[in-house]
Amino acid sequence: MVGISPEESAVWRMMQRAQVRITRRLEAELLAAHDLALASYDVLQQLSEAHGRLRMNDLADRVLLSRSGLTRLIDRLQRDGLVQREACADHARGLYAVLTGPGEARLVEATPTYLRGIRAQFLDVLEPEELERCTAMLTKLLVAPR
């Protein structure tokens, strides 16, 4: 049986709590100011960075949602007129999620709130040396073999 020490368990729980605390605050700020959930902001941002369109499978990987979770979110964003679906010409069953004009406008409107939240909840809390160490640690975790 594999075990971890109480100290290791505490570090793991602190990392989880910090991530949840920061994302909950970002979400609350985006909802209050723009009626936009954090996951919705993430989808709009990913589409914008991809020149306005992504295949649904690629988008699901980028926003860290299951395929079914992304489908439900895209349904809501489509109802709100922020995205639309388009068929993939090269794949009969494939679909693109496409950022609409109103979706781009909502993203532009919400981005200052999002960036202020990241700065206030994360960047300004840490010293430059701590951010460098954080970057190194997170990079190590992301490239570690599975």
Side-chain angles (χ1 to χ4, degrees), residues 30 58 94 104 135 141:
L30 285 168
D58 296 332
E104 180 69 29
T135 299
L141 290 171

Side-chain angles (χ1 to χ4, degrees), residues 24-139:
R24 281 183 181 164
R25 287 179 178 171
L26 283 172
E27 170 115 328
E29 292 169 6
L30 285 168
L31 284 169
H34 308 285
D35 193 28
L36 192 66
L38 184 57
S40 298
Y41 179 89
D42 194 20
V43 165
L44 298 179
Q45 183 179 46
Q46 292 297 327
L47 290 173
S48 180
E49 289 175 1
H51 308 289
R53 71 174 35 221
L54 280 170
R55 287 181 60 140
M56 291 287 286
N57 286 342
D58 296 332
L59 182 56
D61 291 339
R62 290 184 186 200
V63 297
L64 306 175
L65 288 173
S66 68
R67 306 289 186 259
S68 62
L70 177 63
T71 296
R72 288 189 299 276
L73 179 54
I74 292 294
D75 286 344
R76 287 192 299 275
L77 293 172
Q78 190 170 16
R79 276 193 308 271
D80 292 343
L82 304 178
V83 300
Q84 61 188 25
R85 287 184 175 93
E86 290 181 3
C88 295
D90 60 335
H91 192 271
R93 292 182 53 192
L95 289 174
Y96 284 106
V98 180
L99 187 62
T100 63
E104 180 69 29
R106 181 79 70 89
L107 177 64
V108 167
E109 174 187 293
T111 294
T113 302
Y114 178 77
L115 296 177
R116 274 192 306 274
I118 290 171
R119 176 144 309 280
Q121 301 301 322
F122 181 65
L123 299 173
D124 286 349
V125 175
L126 301 175
E127 297 296 326
E129 310 80 47
E130 292 172 317
L131 283 172
E132 288 176 22
R133 286 196 309 271
C134 187
T135 299
M137 289 184 291
L138 293 172
T139 299

Side-chain angles (χ1 to χ4, degrees), residues 15 21-22 87 139:
M15 185 183 73
R21 182 180 187 184
I22 292 167
T139 299

